Amino acid sequence: MPLTRRQFVRGTIGALSLCAGGLGYSALVEPRVLSIERVTITLPRLPAALDGLTIVQLSDLHRGPHTDESEIAAAVDAANALAPDLVVLTGDYVPDADAPRYVESCAAQMARLKAGLGVYGVLGNQDDWSDGRLVAAALPSAGVPIMRNTAKAIEHNGARFWLAGADDACKGWLDLDKTLRGIPASEPTILLVHEPDIADYVSRHPVDLQLSGHSHGGQVRVPGVGPLILPFLGTKYTMGLYQVNRLPLYVTRGVGMIAPAVRFNCPPEITHITLRARAA
């Protein structure tokens, strides 16, 4: 039965209202609904004394035109409320073009992070202003060391593991051999690297866990279709926990956004990771 003119007009208005409402939600609501993802990961080589160690991961803050300081502050408050043993930051603190304008306010918020074993970060592809030197100077000044192809032994409860930080892969700065050099083969290593798809390469090295960001989860995830906005080296492993050969990989959706500044079915995230030395 054909539609009447009134039915057609009502249907059109309804469809337009639905689209406008969906766009408003994606632009104004979901980007500010911070999710805490709780993940348990078993590492067979983790010493029993480190069983239950907790890590909070934040990534892709993108402090800039699309992510204001209050959103970063909310993520910091949520991270501190979790009282983690360790906080790790996996890159993209500020958009490259806007780095000089926003880096100090981002660093000031990172200075508020608290963890008994410290706060450590790596650079992302957006952090390359002046070859990354701007961000790599601002965050250490705020008490957050930036690891650029380096590793550090961290001791806890009479045992130790290694935290390794690889420099950005998109810019060609990553040197995994240099990063892992000097780590005893018998001791577990957690690697921070911005781009998740590097896991295919990392899995051929003695790394026990890789933590990454970069993909934003796609920002827009359409049911039945999947993520719509994915960057280079962030198209294969887009969100959540993966097993890449023997390597566990966790990819966070991150806190901030890039243009287009919308999120749908993909809210911002901070991640609370509990490490286990054996399967429960």
Side-chain angles (χ1 to χ4, degrees):
M1 181 177 180
L3 293 175
T4 65
R5 182 176 182 275
R6 178 175 294 179
Q7 288 171 328
F8 175 78
V9 170
R10 286 178 176 174
T12 300
I13 292 173
L16 291 174
S17 298
L18 184 62
C19 289
L23 182 60
Y25 170 82
S26 299
L28 301 175
V29 178
E30 187 166 309
R32 291 160 183 81
V33 181
L34 185 65
S35 172
I36 298 175
E37 299 292 342
R38 300 177 186 271
V39 184
T40 299
I41 303 175
T42 299
L43 304 183
R45 298 202 307 157
L46 191 73
L50 299 179
D51 184 72
L53 186 100
T54 57
I55 302 172
V56 161
Q57 179 188 4
L58 291 88
S59 193
D60 299 273
L61 300 163
H62 287 281
R63 169 70 184 102
H66 306 306
T67 310
D68 63 35
E69 190 167 359
S70 66
E71 293 170 80
I72 306 299
V76 170
D77 290 342
N80 287 339
L82 294 168
D85 296 310
L86 177 70
V87 172
V88 298
L89 311 172
T90 45
D92 276 8
Y93 306 93
V94 287
D96 176 42
D98 299 300
R101 181 179 176 186
Y102 294 109
V103 69
E104 293 301 332
S105 66
C106 184
Q109 290 301 323
M110 296 301 96
R112 296 175 50 236
L113 288 165
K114 299 176 182 178
L117 299 180
V119 182
Y120 299 89
V122 294
L123 296 181
N125 61 298
Q126 289 286 324
D127 299 318
D128 68 346
W129 180 271
S130 188
D131 291 333
R133 291 191 296 267
L134 181 66
V135 175
L139 268 75
S141 295
V144 179
I146 293 296
M147 308 179 78
R148 305 191 72 173
N149 297 324
T150 58
K152 176 180 177 62
I154 297 182
E155 297 187 3
H156 184 60
N157 288 345
R160 76 176 187 175
F161 67 97
W162 289 77
L163 184 67
D167 213 338
D168 185 65
C170 280
K171 302 301 179 184
W173 299 339
L174 179 147
D175 185 337
L176 194 55
D177 291 334
K178 178 182 177 183
T179 304
L180 302 177
R181 190 176 301 147
I183 298 177
S186 62
E187 297 185 3
T189 300
I190 297 171
L191 176 71
L192 312 180
V193 58
H194 184 63
E195 292 85 359
D197 291 359
I198 293 298
D200 289 331
Y201 171 62
V202 173
S203 68
R204 301 196 295 268
H205 293 76
V207 173
D208 296 80
L209 171 63
Q210 176 181 324
L211 300 177
S212 298
H214 186 51
S215 70
H216 302 191
Q219 283 192 191
V220 175
R221 299 182 72 93
V222 178
V225 176
L228 297 187
I229 307 170
L230 293 172
F232 174 61
L233 293 179
T235 62
K236 185 174 183 180
Y237 306 113
T238 62
M239 181 180 81
L241 183 63
Y242 298 88
Q243 189 72 31
V244 183
N245 300 317
R246 295 183 179 181
L247 173 71
L249 160 69
Y250 189 83
V251 185
T252 175
R253 297 186 299 270
V255 173
M257 296 181 292
I258 58 171
V262 295
R263 280 186 179 270
F264 179 76
N265 197 30
C266 189
E269 167 189 349
I270 66 173
T271 315
H272 182 266
I273 299 167
T274 301
L275 298 183
R276 293 295 180 191
R278 67 190 73 82

